Amino acid sequence: MDLKVICVFSIVLVVALSTLAEGNRPPTRCQCKLPAKERKNCGYPGISEAECKKAGCCFNSSVRGVPWCFSPKARKVRKICPSNAHARRNCGFPGITAKECERKGCCFKARPAGVPWCFYHHVVEE
């Protein structure tokens, strides 16, 4: 392969991997409360607690014979329609009906004037 192609490929790979790594938020304490039999391995044999947590996984070495580095429970989220009219992000188009807006999975409130009436939900973690 040409050296330029290898350099470009390397840069693309580094950018892609760094983007993936940035999405790893540490799990909450509740997400790591799993019965030992429900743990799904998230690491490799001998992984350290720091490496495990850096990967966005839970670590608990108190139970023998089960993964110590394991996948957390999924985060619970719910969608809410923002109450602040000025926090709305437009989801529709001028003249959209409530039914059309809701079919798109968005919130609809036909007041006040000057703000979007069809707007996206806010996602809130529970």
Side-chain angles (χ1 to χ4, degrees):
M1 254 199 241
D2 188 330
L3 183 58
K4 288 181 183 178
V5 173
I6 293 172
C7 288
V8 170
F9 180 72
S10 298
I11 291 170
V12 169
L13 185 61
V14 168
V15 169
L17 290 175
S18 67
T19 302
L20 286 174
E22 288 173 4
N24 286 341
R25 288 192 295 169
T28 64
R29 190 175 296 159
C30 287
Q31 287 180 279
C32 292
K33 286 186 180 179
L34 280 170
K37 63 184 177 188
E38 292 180 22
R39 293 181 183 180
K40 292 191 178 29
N41 199 1
C42 190
Y44 53 86
I47 191 170
S48 71
E49 182 173 359
E51 291 172 312
C52 178
K53 289 183 175 181
K54 187 176 180 181
C57 304
C58 301
F59 189 89
N60 181 334
S61 60
S62 66
V63 182
R64 296 175 70 81
V66 296
W68 291 356
C69 181
F70 54 96
S71 300
K73 287 190 242 179
R75 293 181 185 269
K76 289 186 180 180
V77 295
R78 64 185 167 102
K79 294 179 180 180
I80 60 168
C81 295
S83 55
N84 178 356
H86 298 288
R88 296 177 182 175
R89 289 182 315 132
N90 195 5
C91 182
F93 51 86
I96 192 169
T97 66
K99 191 177 241 177
E100 290 171 320
C101 178
E102 289 163 2
R103 239 184 265 135
K104 291 179 73 171
C106 298
C107 303
F108 186 88
K109 193 167 189 178
R111 57 187 187 289
V115 296
W117 289 1
C118 179
F119 48 97
Y120 289 102
H121 293 94
H122 283 199
V123 178
V124 178
E125 257 184 61
E126 295 182 331

